[in-house]
Structure formats: C-alpha cells, structure tokens
C-alpha cells in the first residue's frame, strides 16, 4: 500500500523492524499517559476555516538561529538511529538538508558527528547530554567545533531515565536474559531486509560519539557507560560551563514549565525546545502543546521557542505555530520513516508534512507561515 501519512510510516516501520526496535521507538515511560496526551491534545485545537483570501502563493520559509529554512520543521535528536536503517543518521541528515530543514544529531547516535557531517556535506546541529566526565565533554565540544556544528541543543529533561516498561521487557535497558537473547536472534532472522541492511552491512554498530570513552565495542558496554556517566547533579550553573567552551547558539531542550523557561533564558539560552522527551520521561506531565502557551508567555519573544512531541502532520505544525512556536521538531515521525524506507522515507515524510502544512495554511487563509498566530484559532 502507498504511504499517505506519517501514521502509514509507523505501520511500515513495524513490518520492517525487529519488534524490539519498533517498541523502543514507539514506547514511552510508565503508563504512557503523557505520550498519548502529546498526540491527542493536538486534535483538541480547533482552527478557523477562512475563505476567499487568494492562497495561490504560500510561503513556508522561516529564519531560525542564523539561517533561512524552507519550512518551520526540523529533525530532532533520536538516539540509536543507525540501528533502524543502514548508517541511519547519515541517510536522515541528507534527507533533511536536501529539504532545507535542520538535522540535529543525538549524543547517542550510531554514526559519529564526523561521519554524518562529512557524508551529508553540510554542518549539522548537535544534541548534548551532560556527562560526568567533563574532560570527555570538553573533547566532544572541541570535535563539534571542528565539524562547524552551528547549534548546540542541550537536553535537560533526562538527569535520570524514565521507566520504560516496553524496553525493560525487551531487555533494552537491562542486561538481557537468555530467553530475551534467543528472542532477539529470532527477530533478526525473521526480518531479513533489516538484518542485511543494518546488522550485516551497517556496522560498526557502536555509539560513535562515545568510542573515545568506551573501550569495548559491545553495545552492552556502552549502555553501562551511559548509565554510569549521565550526570544527575546537573543544574543551570553547568550551562555556564558549556558556554565557556561554546560560542555558538545554545538551545535548551526539555522545557515544559514557564519558570524553567525563565531560568533557561537567565542562564543564557539562545532558544528553547518545549519538550517532554516524547513522553519518555515524566509520565503524567503536561503534553507539550498544552504547555506551550505559558512558556511562550514567559519567554516574551526574547528567544525562539520550538516544540516537539506528538507532531504527526503538517496540521499539527500549524497548530503549534498558532500557539506561539517558531518551529517544530519531528521525533518518531522521522524515525519511523527512516526505518521504513531509509533516506527516501525521510524525504517523503518531510514532503508530506510540508504539503499538509501548506494546505492547512491555505484553508485558514494564512499565506506566510511567519505570520501564523492566535488569530488562526477558533
Ligand atoms: C528520543 N528523544 C531524544 N532526545 C534527545 O535529546 N536525545 C536523544 O538521544 C533522544 N533519543 C530518542 C530516541 C527515541 C526512539 C525517541 C522516540 C525519542 C526525544 C526526541 O528528541 C523528541 O523529544 C521526541 O521524540 C518528540 O516526540 P515525538 O515527536 O516522537 O512524539
């Protein structure tokens, strides 16, 4: 069946991936209430249908963090993507940059920042987690400078990891038992396209950015290192530490509360991503679209506000812009498209989102995305 929507990519990814990886992408923490709310709360936002406004010329272009982009949508950081498709981060970055959209590489990517920059042919944004070993952090920041990464996205909503039951059952976040190992082997063999594309020809399958710190090449050793090295002591003071080493824009990702938005700005943030990590951290937290208006109010136009969480269509993007976001980041939407069809899948996902955004603009009488605001809301 042809792909018409982002939801179709989810089903295509489910068929293509070993179940363990599909569940890793699809799942959230605890009862997944926030994950569901992220998506459901969008449909509660009603737009004004406007007519007779000459919508033959529509502009989706925006300026954001020093560049013009073709649309107010980028690819947010997703860890492990090289396990979903052959050198997955490279394929996704190519698709994003060709579409004129920003790509943000996760600290926990399979391909390292050097490989993705070189093979995609343009600088990429980089997402950083605070790691206890500050010498390692310093070295990593130096590597980002060498690769001319224009924007640092600092994720603040993961001082500890939320309990993700699906991953625990599949042995992703705990050492796997023998039955889990056997089940994994079977899942690989029964998904031969993935097995060939990723497991047999897609290596090295390590967390590329971390190889300097982790001596073993076994993925399990990386997971142990991450558990031991993510820094739960992190506070706003640590942003100053990063700032001493990084001159470019710092975007703080993982803000849901207006007080935290004010603190982020006081700490020198050049942008904010309203995010709850796609419902993978504090279950019971507000959906991002519900949290957005108060964060926008607190920011008072002093820095761009981006939003992620639950974006499944171009219509959702317009709703977020109407409530004050300057741009949105995709998460699962692009991860599923990549898993389903590699670079071509991500290209198609972005073009679906863009076409849907343009139609939504036309039907609300909004011809320039930069002017999308509360007057679009019913
Ligand atoms: C994430 N997210 C994430 N965020 C981050 O800052 N660093 C990371 O390495 C990851 N890894 C990651 C893996 C997977 C599988 C998912 C689903 C999410 C969070 C991500 O950037 C984003 O905040 C959410 O995915 C947005 O929600 P939706 O669009 O997926 O609903």
């Amino acid at each position: 069946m042809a792909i018409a929507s982002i939801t179709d990519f989810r089903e295509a990814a489910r068929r293509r991936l070993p179940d363990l990886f599909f569940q890793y992408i699809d799942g959230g923490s605890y009862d997944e209430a926030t994950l569901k709310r992220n998506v459901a709360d969008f449909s509660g936002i009603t737009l004004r249908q406007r007519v007779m406004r000459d919508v033959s010329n529509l502009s989706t272009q925006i300026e954001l963090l020093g560049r013009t982009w073709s649309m107010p949508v980028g690819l947010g950081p997703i860890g492990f993507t090289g396990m979903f498709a052959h050198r997955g981060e490279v394929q996704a970055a190519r698709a994003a940059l060709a579409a004129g959209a920003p790509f943000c590489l996760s600290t926990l990517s399979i391909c390292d920042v050097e490989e993705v920059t070189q093979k995609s042919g343009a600088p990429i944004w980089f997402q950083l987690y605070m790691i206890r070993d500050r010498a390692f952090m310093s070295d990593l920041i130096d590597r980002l400078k060498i690769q001319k990464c224009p924007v640092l996205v600092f994720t603040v909503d993961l001082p500890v990891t939320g309990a993700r039951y699906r991953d625990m059952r599949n042995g992703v976040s705990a050492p796997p038992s023998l039955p889990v190992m056997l089940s994994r082997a079977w899942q690989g063999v029964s998904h031969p396209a993935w097995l060939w594309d990723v497991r047999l020809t897609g290596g090295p399958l390590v967390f590329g950015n971390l190889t300097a710190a982790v001596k073993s090449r076994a993925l399990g050793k990386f997971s142990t290192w991450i558990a031991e090295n993510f820094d739960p002591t992190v506070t706003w003071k640590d942003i100053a530490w990063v700032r001493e080493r990084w001159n470019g824009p710092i975007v703080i990702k993982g803000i849901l509360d207006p007080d935290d938005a004010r603190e982020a700005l006081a700490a020198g943030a050049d942008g904010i991503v309203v995010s709850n990590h796609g419902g993978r951290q504090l279950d019971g937290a507000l959906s991002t679209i519900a949290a957005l208006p108060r964060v926008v109010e607190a920011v008072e136009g002093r820095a761009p506000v981006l939003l992620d969480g639950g974006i499944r269509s171009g219509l959702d993007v317009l709703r977020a812009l109407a409530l004050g976001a300057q741009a949105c980041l995709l998460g699962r939407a692009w991860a599923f498209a990549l898993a389903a069809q590699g670079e071509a899948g991500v290209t198609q996902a972005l073009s679906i989102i863009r076409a849907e955004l343009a139609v939504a603009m036309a039907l609300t009488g909004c011809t320039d995305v930069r002017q999308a605001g509360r007057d679009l809301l019913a």
Side-chain angles (χ1 to χ4, degrees), residues 21-27 35 38-39 75-81 84 104-109 127-129 153-158 164 167 230 253-254 273-280 288 307-312 329-336:
F21 291 116
F22 174 77
Q23 302 297 345
Y24 167 70
I25 302 171
D26 199 48
L35 166 63
N38 273 352
V39 177
L75 304 192
I78 299 278
F80 233 50
T81 28
F84 314 154
C104 183
L105 188 70
S106 161
T107 301
L108 303 180
S109 56
Q127 176 267 324
L128 198 65
Y129 280 122
V153 176
F154 192 86
T155 298
V156 292
D157 59 6
L158 205 136
R164 301 175 191 166
D167 291 351
F230 269 41
K253 173 175 179 281
V273 185
V274 174
S275 176
N276 52 31
H277 219 94
R280 295 160 83 81
T288 51
L307 172 138
D308 74 20
I311 302 274
R312 301 292 180 267
L329 297 178
L330 304 179
R332 292 178 181 84
W334 78 260
F336 285 140

Side-chain angles (χ1 to χ4, degrees), residues 285-301:
L286 279 178
S287 70
T288 51
I289 195 66
L292 177 69
R294 290 190 63 214
V295 173
V296 169
E297 208 179 283
V299 169
E300 296 175 318

